[in-house]
PDB file of all heavy atoms in Angstrom:
ATOM      1  N   PHE A 203    -231.800  -7.824  37.716  1.00  0.00           N
ATOM      2  CA  PHE A 203    -232.649  -8.240  36.610  1.00  0.00           C
ATOM      3  C   PHE A 203    -234.116  -8.158  37.007  1.00  0.00           C
ATOM      4  O   PHE A 203    -234.968  -7.802  36.183  1.00  0.00           O
ATOM      5  CB  PHE A 203    -232.311  -9.658  36.150  1.00  0.00           C
ATOM      6  CG  PHE A 203    -233.115 -10.100  34.947  1.00  0.00           C
ATOM      7  CD1 PHE A 203    -232.971  -9.474  33.729  1.00  0.00           C
ATOM      8  CD2 PHE A 203    -234.028 -11.133  35.060  1.00  0.00           C
ATOM      9  CE1 PHE A 203    -233.721  -9.867  32.624  1.00  0.00           C
ATOM     10  CE2 PHE A 203    -234.786 -11.532  33.967  1.00  0.00           C
ATOM     11  CZ  PHE A 203    -234.627 -10.896  32.751  1.00  0.00           C
ATOM     12  N   HIS A 220    -241.086  -7.784  26.490  1.00  0.00           N
ATOM     13  CA  HIS A 220    -240.838  -8.049  25.073  1.00  0.00           C
ATOM     14  C   HIS A 220    -239.354  -8.309  24.802  1.00  0.00           C
ATOM     15  O   HIS A 220    -238.469  -7.852  25.534  1.00  0.00           O
ATOM     16  CB  HIS A 220    -241.342  -6.877  24.226  1.00  0.00           C
ATOM     17  CG  HIS A 220    -242.833  -6.732  24.275  1.00  0.00           C
ATOM     18  ND1 HIS A 220    -243.675  -7.560  23.577  1.00  0.00           N
ATOM     19  CD2 HIS A 220    -243.627  -5.851  24.949  1.00  0.00           C
ATOM     20  CE1 HIS A 220    -244.940  -7.211  23.813  1.00  0.00           C
ATOM     21  NE2 HIS A 220    -244.936  -6.172  24.639  1.00  0.00           N
ATOM     22  N   GLU A 360    -260.120 -16.247  52.127  1.00  0.00           N
ATOM     23  CA  GLU A 360    -260.483 -16.178  50.709  1.00  0.00           C
ATOM     24  C   GLU A 360    -260.364 -17.537  50.041  1.00  0.00           C
ATOM     25  O   GLU A 360    -260.701 -17.681  48.866  1.00  0.00           O
ATOM     26  CB  GLU A 360    -259.601 -15.149  49.998  1.00  0.00           C
ATOM     27  CG  GLU A 360    -259.844 -13.721  50.461  1.00  0.00           C
ATOM     28  CD  GLU A 360    -258.971 -12.713  49.745  1.00  0.00           C
ATOM     29  OE1 GLU A 360    -258.124 -13.148  48.938  1.00  0.00           O
ATOM     30  OE2 GLU A 360    -259.123 -11.508  49.999  1.00  0.00           O
ATOM     31  N   PRO A 388    -260.170 -25.974  75.512  1.00  0.00           N
ATOM     32  CA  PRO A 388    -260.417 -27.414  75.652  1.00  0.00           C
ATOM     33  C   PRO A 388    -260.928 -27.788  77.044  1.00  0.00           C
ATOM     34  O   PRO A 388    -260.492 -27.236  78.056  1.00  0.00           O
ATOM     35  CB  PRO A 388    -259.032 -28.033  75.398  1.00  0.00           C
ATOM     36  CG  PRO A 388    -258.260 -26.980  74.680  1.00  0.00           C
ATOM     37  CD  PRO A 388    -258.767 -25.677  75.208  1.00  0.00           C
TER      38      PRO A 388
END
Side-chain angles (χ1 to χ4, degrees):
F203 183 65
H220 294 284
E360 294 180 356

